[in-house]
Amino acid sequence: MVIGMSEDRASEPDESIPYVREIEVYDVAEDVKAVRFIGDSKTVEVGITDDVMVDFVRAAEEVFDRIHADMAEMNDLLDETHRDSERDGDRS
């Protein structure tokens, strides 16, 4: 499993959803669960087995960590810009 930004985009997805709006989980079998990613105009379903379950959780954690890190960095930049504008006398 690859977690992280890959320079090699040779494994482009067969299907994609620009943004996931909802996620549903269904039982397929005792050892297989279907995860349905629902977008605005399309739904994609993947089967998760015990073989990839840990990797699936790691990928979800990686997405969570990256989004929060990016948002924290953006908030820090906005705070710094706000402080700079107050120091320069701009009260907007």
Side-chain angles (χ1 to χ4, degrees), residues 5-66:
M5 297 299 281
S6 173
E7 296 298 320
D8 179 23
R9 299 286 307 208
S11 61
E12 291 292 326
D14 296 323
E15 290 284 335
S16 67
I17 297 175
Y19 298 99
V20 174
R21 302 295 181 200
E22 195 174 333
I23 299 173
E24 297 174 349
V25 178
Y26 297 94
D27 291 329
V28 174
E30 187 174 304
D31 60 342
V32 180
K33 305 306 173 201
V35 179
R36 189 173 290 171
F37 298 97
I38 302 167
D40 291 330
S41 62
K42 195 183 325 185
T43 298
V44 175
E45 186 174 283
V46 295
I48 303 296
T49 64
D50 189 43
D51 296 336
V52 297
M53 183 172 46
V54 172
D55 292 337
F56 186 73
V57 170
R58 285 186 185 141
E61 289 173 340
E62 179 76 14
V63 169
F64 182 89
D65 290 346
R66 285 185 185 196

